Amino acid sequence: MKNQTKRKKIKPTQPNEWFIMSRQPILVSDLKGLFDPQADIEIWPELGVLEIVMGEKSSMDIEMIETDLGDEYSNAYLKEHQIQALFTATFRPEDYDSAEPYLKTIAAGIDGIVCADTEDFTPVVL
């Protein structure tokens, strides 16, 4: 008898924190300008924070941080890629499919890199 149970497709777990690395000095207001004005986005420019609402129960928080990641390897990576502005983008890993179009819009709109907060800065969003 064949196994009739449906197998659930297992999706690789995505990181919940990502980096937005720009070679140009930009602010969260510049990131907001990449999106449709009708998008559900709140911004607190004086705090360097942007919130993108991605549905009823899902959001992505983007926060500007210092261009010092606290370790030699990471800071060498920032220097090698001439990063002038650095942001974290945080959302629940299960919301990656909702977040991906926003990450892709940012990646296409800046001179820089959108990548996971992992030891080797991968995966990279193109």
Side-chain angles (χ1 to χ4, degrees):
M1 179 176 209
K2 289 184 180 177
N3 185 349
Q4 297 296 323
T5 0
K6 290 185 180 178
R7 294 185 183 209
K8 187 175 182 180
K9 200 174 192 181
I10 298 174
K11 195 173 192 177
T13 304
Q14 293 289 345
N16 68 330
E17 193 161 293
W18 294 73
F19 286 122
I20 298 166
M21 303 177 175
S22 174
R23 290 183 186 91
Q24 303 299 320
I26 61 172
L27 303 170
V28 289
S29 55
D30 298 310
L31 296 177
K32 183 179 184 208
L34 298 173
F35 299 102
D36 183 315
Q38 302 302 316
D40 193 354
I41 298 175
E42 290 193 49
I43 185 170
W44 297 271
E46 63 281 354
L47 299 175
V49 174
L50 181 79
E51 178 187 34
I52 301 172
V53 178
M54 304 183 301
E56 289 182 31
K57 298 179 183 180
S58 179
S59 68
M60 176 180 359
D61 295 322
I62 298 174
E63 181 177 356
M64 185 170 209
I65 61 172
E66 293 295 321
T67 52
D68 178 356
L69 292 175
D71 68 87
E72 192 176 319
Y73 171 80
S74 299
N75 287 337
Y77 183 91
L78 296 177
K79 186 175 181 178
E80 175 186 344
H81 293 280
Q82 301 172 344
I83 301 305
Q84 299 293 313
L86 184 61
F87 305 83
T88 58
T90 308
F91 51 88
R92 297 180 315 188
E94 60 269 22
D95 292 336
Y96 180 80
D97 289 341
S98 297
E100 184 179 36
Y102 294 100
L103 295 173
K104 285 184 174 186
T105 297
I106 293 169
I110 66 167
D111 176 18
I113 304 161
V114 177
C115 60
D117 179 3
T118 59
E119 287 185 21
D120 62 355
F121 301 108
T122 61
V124 173
V125 176
L126 302 174

